[in-house]
Amino acid sequence: MTARPARTGAAGLARAAATGDGGPAPAGPAVEVRDLTFRYPGAQRDSLTGVGLTIGRGDFTAVVGGNGSGKTTLCKTFNGLIPHFWSGTYSGEVRVFGQDTTTTGVAALSHRVGYVYQDFGNQLVRPTVHDEVSFGPVNFGLADWRERSEEALDLLGIDALRDRYTWQLSGGQQHLVALAGVLAMRPDLVVVDEPVAELDPARAEEIYRRLTDINRRLGTTVVVIEHHAEFIARYCKSVLLMADGAPVWHLPVEEAMARSGELAAHGIPAPQVVRLARAVEPEGKVPLTVEQTVRWLDGRGLRPAPGPGTPEPAAGEPATGPNAPAPQPGPVVASLRGVRHGYRDVHGGLTPVLRDVELELREGERIALVGGNGAGKSTLLRLLTGLKVPRSGTVEVTGTDTRTARPAQLAERVSYLYQRPEQMFLADSVRADIAMFPKGRGRPDTDELVDHILERVRLTPLADRDGRTLSGGQQRRATLGIGLAMAPALLLLDEPTSSLDVATRDDVIAMLEELADRIRCVVVATHDMHLVAEWATRVIALGDGRVLSDSGPAEFFADVELLERVHVVPPQITVLGTALGLVPPPLTVDECVGRLPVAAKEAGA
């Protein structure tokens, strides 16, 4: 056995932070942007307009804003991709650690700036995980490339994946590998576009803890493009709000989170504990974490009595929340009987993914499929489409065994929206992609249907753009439009809210509800626990290739041992409810507010 080099971990990174691997790091801010304007080739308007911005050395900045606000375009100027690779109309100045990005090449900048892209799968270029992580240091001829690779693998806790092929990994695992490859270069600035995209909640927390660690201990400047306000409130130091291609403000995180109404107007609702505090006190300082909120409530005498206590609905109103009756099951839409499946590696070995899965999916159900990265969620969805058939067992969709029908025939009954949105674009415009299926089936109201869906996904102004040229969030909305136009009996969505701002996520939920009369059953594989809490009527948890739990959302989130096993972190308001001793824990902010003593006082006022 070949001995591995000793790992220096933070020590090695600390040396890099001090020297930048190329001499003393220059004084001054990490990023300076002056009067920056940029327009993509062929675009009708500027993506960035007169941007002025300073990010200090050692800052941990969250860049927020609605889809298409210019967040990703701005960050691509930090490593020189704009203007060196995207050669649109460019004016202004960007300096990173004093270097002008227009006169410094991307290769030179990559020593100081590490970037994990929104489409992180496309930046993996080597066959195995270890090869990928070491690619940057090896490519630049760095003598300590082994040490760098080992410490990056160790830092992110993915050493066990070192010999796996990158194409065998789940999306979340690929994301971690992409970040490890960046950290192996020991950059002074790390930019991560959607850090928690496609990661299970436990891994998402770990990513932010790791980024916080290198920021605090090593002084590495961190910039994240983020839609999740809870992560921003807990880990970031400042917030940059973007709209229409320009900064609205750049503020310390406490001040930014206090502007909850303004953030919500830009598609970034405040953390759930902030919204709860604002429901109680419209003005004043707000707590940012669960621990702070417990103390905040105690200081106002508002701690609810522990135990059960969800209020009864008002007369004439339907029961909601965890005490609402479970919907009556309808006819079976799809079933899996004794399903086993796995994948062959290049050496011929079989890696099992699903083991003896037994499930029935019924009409009217809103099913959330949850579990850690690599648990088999995407594989299960593909089996339901007929794109893959199980190695043993039976999969049936509307009574048809998927072994006996081609996927094209099953497409009339089941629609699958891929985890990678760019795979869904076949035509030269979003409108044509959405119209493709209903038009091909001779549906007479295709034009009206397409117009309605474009409006619902808020893409009418971009209807004639090629879907592959849209931002990540816009692409996700377009693929949802493609799936909804198919109006199948069974709709399968793989991470449908990844990269979406919360306003668009709410639109997605509204669209699914609106089409309930045409779509008999919806299954969503997701790491978005807010979606699970607010939308699902049934939660199926996968782990070790098996169904570990099949229950309602309240029961699922109340099982602490199960949550840890499937790498799930509940929504912030549910964690707060558990800390307050509420049984079952609340699933929404409104439900939690209704269980506070202040609600009873106001009702009696």
Side-chain angles (χ1 to χ4, degrees):
M1 180 179 294
T2 302
R4 295 178 185 171
R7 297 180 184 178
T8 58
L13 288 172
R15 291 196 303 272
T19 67
D21 288 313
V31 178
E32 294 177 281
V33 182
R34 299 175 184 170
D35 199 26
L36 175 64
T37 297
F38 179 73
R39 179 180 297 188
Y40 286 102
Q44 298 301 309
R45 64 184 184 87
D46 295 335
S47 292
L48 297 175
T49 305
V51 176
L53 170 69
T54 299
I55 297 176
R57 288 181 61 88
D59 202 351
F60 193 139
T61 302
V63 183
V64 305
N67 295 129
S69 59
K71 305 184 298 296
T72 297
T73 300
L74 173 64
C75 289
K76 284 180 179 177
T77 68
F78 298 169
N79 70 344
L81 278 185
I82 295 175
H84 294 295
F85 284 86
W86 290 97
S87 54
T89 304
Y90 181 100
S91 64
E93 182 180 45
V94 178
R95 289 186 174 272
V96 179
F97 300 111
Q99 294 179 296
D100 188 334
T101 61
T102 60
T103 59
T104 306
V106 174
L109 286 169
S110 68
H111 285 276
R112 293 200 182 275
V113 184
Y115 201 123
V116 180
Y117 300 98
Q118 195 174 46
D119 51 350
F120 52 84
N122 289 336
Q123 73 183 90
L124 304 181
V125 297
R126 300 295 295 156
T128 70
V129 169
H130 183 266
D131 289 343
E132 176 61 38
V133 175
S134 62
F135 176 75
V138 169
N139 194 46
F140 281 109
L142 303 178
D144 60 345
W145 64 269
R146 288 186 179 87
E147 177 185 316
R148 291 166 174 264
S149 304
E150 295 297 333
E151 72 184 16
L153 289 167
D154 191 44
L155 188 66
L156 294 181
I158 57 173
D159 185 66
L161 300 177
R162 61 186 300 118
D163 296 322
R164 293 277 300 276
Y165 291 97
T166 55
W167 49 264
Q168 291 179 312
L169 304 178
S170 70
Q173 290 168 333
Q174 289 181 343
H175 201 167
L176 292 168
V177 172
L179 179 56
V182 163
L183 294 181
M185 288 296 295
R186 297 175 181 166
D188 294 313
L189 169 64
V190 174
V191 182
V192 188
D193 196 342
E194 300 285 353
V196 304
E198 300 184 23
L199 288 177
D200 62 61
R203 286 283 195 183
E205 291 283 350
E206 185 65 16
I207 283 290
Y208 266 98
R209 284 195 291 267
R210 301 290 188 181
L211 290 173
T212 300
D213 182 58
I214 65 173
N215 171 253
R216 291 178 178 173
R217 290 197 295 121
L218 311 178
T220 305
T221 307
V222 178
V223 175
V224 296
I225 300 173
E226 187 56 271
H227 292 300
H228 298 82
E230 284 87 354
F231 288 115
I232 295 169
R234 291 168 56 197
Y235 295 106
C236 297
K237 296 178 181 177
S238 69
V239 182
L240 170 66
L241 175 63
M242 293 286 293
D244 299 320
V248 179
W249 42 250
H250 184 198
L251 298 171
V253 66
E254 294 84 0
E255 187 176 346
M257 291 297 105
R259 299 192 178 196
S260 54
E262 193 171 1
L263 286 171
H266 289 275
I268 311 294
Q272 289 183 316
V273 295
V274 172
R275 283 182 272 158
L276 178 138
R278 279 287 177 254
V280 175
E281 291 184 1
E283 301 293 337
K285 190 174 180 179
V286 294
L288 298 183
T289 67
V290 168
E291 294 77 12
Q292 292 175 7
T293 306
V294 171
R295 295 193 295 270
W296 189 88
L297 292 170
D298 283 343
R300 289 157 177 76
L302 299 178
R303 179 187 280 263
T310 301
E312 293 295 324
E317 292 184 1
T320 59
N323 287 346
Q328 291 298 314
V332 174
V333 176
S335 65
L336 297 92
R337 308 278 186 200
V339 168
R340 299 172 66 89
H341 197 67
Y343 298 102
R344 297 281 181 191
D345 60 30
V346 294
H347 304 295
L350 182 65
T351 301
V353 178
L354 297 176
R355 300 177 173 91
D356 299 317
V357 172
E358 299 272 347
L359 284 173
E360 285 187 343
L361 314 181
R362 295 180 173 271
E363 186 171 324
E365 290 183 323
R366 303 174 180 179
I367 301 170
L369 191 62
V370 304
N373 294 121
K377 301 183 297 296
S378 297
T379 297
L380 192 150
L381 295 186
R382 292 190 184 103
L383 290 173
L384 286 167
T385 66
L387 292 171
K388 295 184 180 295
V389 295
R391 293 190 177 272
S392 63
T394 302
V395 178
E396 291 187 354
V397 178
T398 61
T400 299
D401 187 330
T402 58
R403 295 181 189 276
T404 67
R406 291 178 301 169
Q409 295 171 307
L410 290 172
E412 297 278 358
R413 312 173 197 186
V414 55
S415 176
Y416 173 51
L417 304 190
Y418 290 88
Q419 197 171 24
R420 300 281 189 272
E422 65 272 11
Q423 293 177 277
M424 300 289 293
F425 302 118
L426 302 175
D428 59 1
S429 71
V430 173
R431 180 185 296 277
D433 277 314
I434 293 176
M436 185 175 296
F437 188 88
K439 185 177 181 181
R441 297 304 189 274
R443 181 165 172 164
D445 62 341
T446 292
D447 291 342
E448 293 80 0
L449 174 67
V450 171
D451 286 340
H452 174 68
I453 290 175
L454 284 167
E455 183 177 352
R456 290 298 300 166
V457 297
R458 295 192 288 128
L459 286 177
T460 300
L462 302 175
D464 296 323
R465 285 271 301 275
D466 189 316
R468 289 154 290 204
T469 68
L470 302 179
S471 71
Q474 291 166 343
Q475 285 186 345
R476 185 73 61 178
R477 283 149 54 193
T479 62
L480 285 164
I482 293 170
L484 293 175
M486 298 172 75
L490 178 63
L491 179 60
L492 311 172
L493 303 100
D494 203 346
E495 293 291 351
T497 59
S498 176
S499 305
L500 292 182
D501 59 48
V502 179
T504 307
R505 186 195 70 187
D506 292 342
D507 282 349
V508 169
I509 295 173
M511 282 187 292
L512 296 177
E513 292 174 345
E514 182 180 311
L515 293 175
D517 58 333
R518 283 183 280 169
I519 300 175
R520 294 166 57 191
C521 180
V522 180
V523 183
V524 173
T526 186
H527 295 307
D528 183 346
M529 293 301 113
H530 293 281
L531 177 65
V532 174
E534 298 168 12
W535 171 80
T537 59
R538 179 182 174 190
V539 183
I540 298 171
L542 294 181
D544 301 322
R546 296 181 171 87
V547 176
L548 301 180
S549 174
D550 190 349
S551 65
E555 182 182 350
F556 170 70
F557 286 124
D559 192 335
V560 177
E561 183 178 340
L562 174 66
L563 297 180
E564 184 174 350
R565 187 175 179 186
V566 297
H567 305 287
V568 161
V569 177
Q572 190 181 46
I573 205 68
T574 304
V575 176
L576 175 64
T578 300
L580 295 172
L582 300 180
V583 181
L587 300 181
T588 66
V589 173
D590 288 344
E591 183 189 340
C592 192
V593 170
R595 296 166 76 172
L596 296 179
V598 67
K601 293 175 185 177
E602 290 177 348

